[in-house]
Amino acid sequence: MLKYTFDWSIVTSGKYFEWLVSGLKVTLELSAVGIVCAFILGLLIAVLKMSHYRPVRWIATAYLEFFRNTPLLVQIFFWYFGSYKVLPAAVNEWLNSTNFEFAAAAIALTIYTSAFIAEDIRSGILSIPKEQMEAARSAGFSYLRSMQYIILPQAVRITIPPLVNQFLNLAKNSSLAMSIGVMELTYQARQVESYTFKGFEAFTAATVVYLGLSVVITALMDLYNKKVLNPHRA
Amino acid sequence: MIKFEGVHKWFKKLHVLNGIDLHVKPGEVVVVCGPSGSGKSTLIRTINQLEPIEEGSLIVDGMDLRSKKTDINKLRAEVGFVFQQFNLYPHLSVIDNITLAPTKIRKTPKKEAQEQAMELLERVGLAVKRDAYPTQLSGGQQQRVAIARALAMKPRIMLFDEPTSALDPEMIGEVLAVMQDLASTGMTMVCVTHEMGFAREVSDRVVFMDHGVILEEAQPEEFFRNPQHDRAKQFLKQLLSPMH
Ligand SMILES: Nc1ncnc2c1ncn2[C@@H]1O[C@H](COP(=O)(O)OP(=O)(O)OP(=O)(O)O)[C@@H](O)[C@H]1O
Ligand SMILES: [Mg+2]
């Protein structure tokens, strides 16, 4: 017979509620930093991967294959436990004075996700007819300016659905940061559980919050789609 | 203004331009015609280096296209190109299509660029469409916007690659009218087209190509009345036959 008595009050108010809220704050920060940086880096890698110079393409390919095909947790451990062994002392000192766990997790999430985003953006770019590039080049735009003003704005629109997916993945994957002691939502839920033995309530609360986060990201992207993108495009 | 001398181009093993010599003077309107696959598009695309050449010399507006010192983007800014498929930027409104290059490349202030764009839109008869998007326009309207977009850079040369071939017959006239108007302003133009009415009335010279070679070059009257080459005769006959 089940002897467990539910106590939802611990996750809706009081000390433990505050722990969860502080965890959510860290999760949001980590996701926001990760999404912005991963998008910019992914864009850059996508452009490099399409460069006319073979060595540049080769480097981009190596980057993509490497980071997409190794587990995210290993990458997080690498940045946290591995990187400071090889970094100069001065950099380490600076890192220690900052929030090193957070930085390592943000770097790992950014790099990992950027590889997926780069591939999505690249297929978006490839789906733009080559005549668009010709039109831009014949107007006198350089390759990079053509990308900036003509190709990427069109490609990004096409890429939005897969991008949202990557953003959601990043937000969810940020829970792995608890493994190196980043006090994000999952970490705090775990804390609440160990102090109260109310694992069901703690992780239900965490689950609901992650779900809410996904819903918000999707809704924001929808809004962007409807409001910012003009409805008349091809 | 444009000077081809012994120009050759290959696509892999395919010899598409086989010793082209052609001289276009400032203000001249030259029509290029010939059978499909004869190299007309390739020829016109070499002028702004959408296709690089492998042999010979090509000087455009004083710039040597084979010299490493030539700034190709600068050259392209001086040469307008109008495509068969219009190739407007679908994510930008009509006015933004026209002002993009002037504001970004020429650094024209936005307000000035917009005023100039409106003048051009007036000229091609589409001022009311300034805020429309390309997909909301007919083919003929898109092509007229494309011409206005090219003119916004104040080019010294305009190139047209079959500008009316993708249009419904009833829209061809409006585009040709714009081109005729442009020719009357003294613009240097090279047009690949099979619109023989335009060639006859507007052009100064007709160039007939086949298999990557210029077979015939003549005044339009001369070319239509008395084509020299068998293949030109055949081509004209096909063009004028009701089966075409
Ligand atoms: N990018 C390319 N790569 C390989 N071959 C090409 C390329 N572009 C054109 N060709 C070939 O070069 C030849 C000349 O093509 P081009 O497009 O210049 O002919 P065209 O006279 O413009 O024909 P059309 O009237 O059909 O437009 C054709 O045989 C064509 O198949
Ligand atoms: Mg052609």
Side-chain angles (χ1 to χ4, degrees):
Chain A
M1 187 62 203
L2 185 73
K3 277 289 201 37
Y4 192 80
T5 46
F6 292 102
D7 181 4
W8 291 105
S9 68
I10 60 153
V11 294
T12 55
S13 60
K15 178 167 96 184
Y16 301 122
F17 171 72
E18 270 156 35
W19 285 8
L20 290 176
V21 169
S22 80
L24 173 61
K25 251 182 67 190
V26 176
T27 290
L28 286 177
E29 281 167 16
L30 198 53
S31 302
V33 170
I35 285 172
V36 171
C37 296
F39 178 69
I40 295 169
L41 194 59
L43 201 59
L44 186 75
I45 302 293
V47 172
L48 291 184
K49 169 100 198 215
M50 303 181 68
S51 161
H52 295 299
Y53 301 102
R54 193 170 308 191
V56 175
R57 273 203 314 269
W58 195 85
I59 290 169
T61 306
Y63 179 100
L64 289 174
E65 294 306 323
F66 185 84
F67 288 110
R68 279 190 311 166
N69 293 312
T70 46
L72 175 55
L73 189 57
V74 173
Q75 293 184 32
I76 291 176
F77 283 162
F78 173 82
W79 292 110
Y80 185 62
F81 296 113
S83 69
Y84 73 90
K85 303 253 155 110
V86 293
L87 288 173
V91 178
N92 272 327
E93 240 164 70
W94 176 76
L95 280 175
N96 281 330
S97 71
T98 65
N99 186 342
F100 185 47
E101 295 83 24
F102 185 89
I107 290 169
L109 280 168
T110 294
I111 290 180
Y112 179 78
T113 313
S114 74
F116 290 91
I117 288 181
E119 279 296 34
D120 288 337
I121 292 179
R122 196 173 70 98
S123 25
I125 292 173
L126 290 178
S127 72
I128 306 298
K130 71 174 196 331
E131 286 78 11
Q132 287 290 311
M133 180 55 101
E134 283 188 349
R137 295 306 303 271
S138 65
F141 286 109
S142 67
Y143 175 77
L144 286 178
R145 293 279 172 241
S146 304
M147 277 287 174
Q148 180 184 356
Y149 296 124
I150 290 113
I151 307 300
L152 288 178
Q154 295 181 56
V156 164
R157 286 162 164 79
I158 292 173
T159 313
I160 280 180
L163 274 187
V164 174
N165 229 340
Q166 299 304 347
F167 291 168
L168 293 180
N169 281 341
L170 189 146
K172 288 182 288 183
N173 285 338
S174 71
S175 64
L176 287 177
M178 75 165 287
S179 60
I180 55 170
V182 176
M183 291 149 90
E184 45 69 69
L185 184 57
T186 310
Y187 179 98
Q188 296 291 12
R190 182 89 179 75
Q191 287 290 94
V192 173
E193 192 271 337
S194 20
Y195 276 75
T196 62
F197 302 106
K198 294 287 177 197
F200 188 85
E201 291 85 339
F203 285 106
T204 300
T207 304
V208 168
V209 172
Y210 279 116
L211 207 58
L213 196 57
S214 299
V215 170
V216 169
I217 293 179
T218 311
L220 283 178
M221 278 295 169
D222 257 9
L223 197 70
Y224 175 81
N225 251 334
K226 290 212 186 77
K227 292 276 145 97
V228 182
L229 304 185
N230 80 71
H232 310 299
R233 63 180 189 82
Chain B
M1 200 72 169
I2 305 170
K3 198 167 185 182
F4 288 81
E5 271 173 4
V7 168
H8 289 261
K9 172 163 186 75
W10 286 264
F11 284 120
K12 301 268 160 60
K13 287 213 166 119
L14 188 68
H15 202 166
V16 254
L17 296 182
N18 186 355
I20 299 289
D21 292 300
L22 180 66
H23 192 169
V24 181
K25 293 190 281 293
E28 210 179 4
V29 177
V30 173
V31 160
V32 180
C33 62
S36 179
S38 56
K40 307 177 298 290
S41 294
T42 309
L43 175 83
I44 200 170
R45 287 160 61 89
T46 60
I47 299 173
N48 71 349
Q49 218 178 83
L50 282 178
E51 303 289 355
I53 60 173
E54 272 93 42
E55 242 181 77
S57 107
L58 176 50
I59 315 278
V60 177
D61 196 19
M63 290 182 254
D64 179 356
L65 291 207
R66 298 203 65 193
S67 156
K68 288 225 156 35
K69 281 189 217 118
T70 297
D71 180 347
I72 188 64
N73 293 326
K74 189 167 172 301
L75 170 93
R76 285 172 175 158
E78 306 296 332
V79 179
F81 199 105
V82 175
F83 299 85
Q84 183 173 351
Q85 296 294 343
F86 335 128
N87 301 345
L88 294 177
Y89 311 133
H91 61 302
L92 298 178
S93 64
V94 163
I95 185 104
D96 291 344
N97 260 277
I98 299 175
T99 57
L100 185 69
T103 51
K104 303 298 181 196
I105 296 172
R106 297 260 194 254
K107 311 285 180 211
T108 310
K110 184 151 188 171
K111 193 158 165 292
E112 196 184 321
Q114 284 183 335
E115 282 164 14
Q116 285 167 4
M118 283 316 292
E119 278 169 32
L120 287 166
L121 280 175
E122 300 274 0
R123 199 164 139 195
V124 301
L126 287 172
V128 292
K129 298 290 185 189
R130 59 164 285 162
D131 295 317
Y133 281 84
T135 49
Q136 298 172 305
L137 303 179
S138 72
Q141 291 172 332
Q142 289 190 53
Q143 193 62 297
R144 284 184 281 155
V145 172
I147 294 173
R149 178 177 70 177
L151 290 176
M153 289 296 278
K154 302 199 167 76
R156 301 178 30 87
I157 299 170
M158 284 286 284
L159 308 174
F160 296 82
D161 188 2
E162 304 211 33
T164 58
S165 299
L167 299 178
D168 293 337
E170 69 270 20
M171 294 171 184
I172 292 176
E174 64 196 44
V175 171
L176 291 179
V178 168
M179 290 169 65
Q180 177 158 20
D181 170 61
L182 188 60
S184 71
T185 66
M187 176 67 77
T188 309
M189 293 163 63
V190 180
C191 315
V192 175
T193 181
H194 291 159
E195 290 300 326
M196 290 302 135
F198 177 83
R200 199 189 292 265
E201 278 158 42
V202 182
S203 78
D204 299 304
R205 194 149 42 113
V206 176
V207 169
F208 176 77
M209 277 186 84
D210 198 15
H211 291 108
V213 180
I214 294 182
L215 285 184
E216 200 157 330
E217 229 187 300
Q219 310 265 307
E221 277 310 315
E222 184 75 12
F223 177 71
F224 291 113
R225 192 165 28 90
N226 186 19
Q228 298 298 307
H229 211 281
D230 278 350
R231 272 196 266 171
K233 285 179 194 162
Q234 211 178 355
F235 173 76
L236 281 175
K237 209 161 91 196
Q238 268 177 13
L239 207 60
L240 300 172
S241 82
M243 287 302 289
H244 182 78

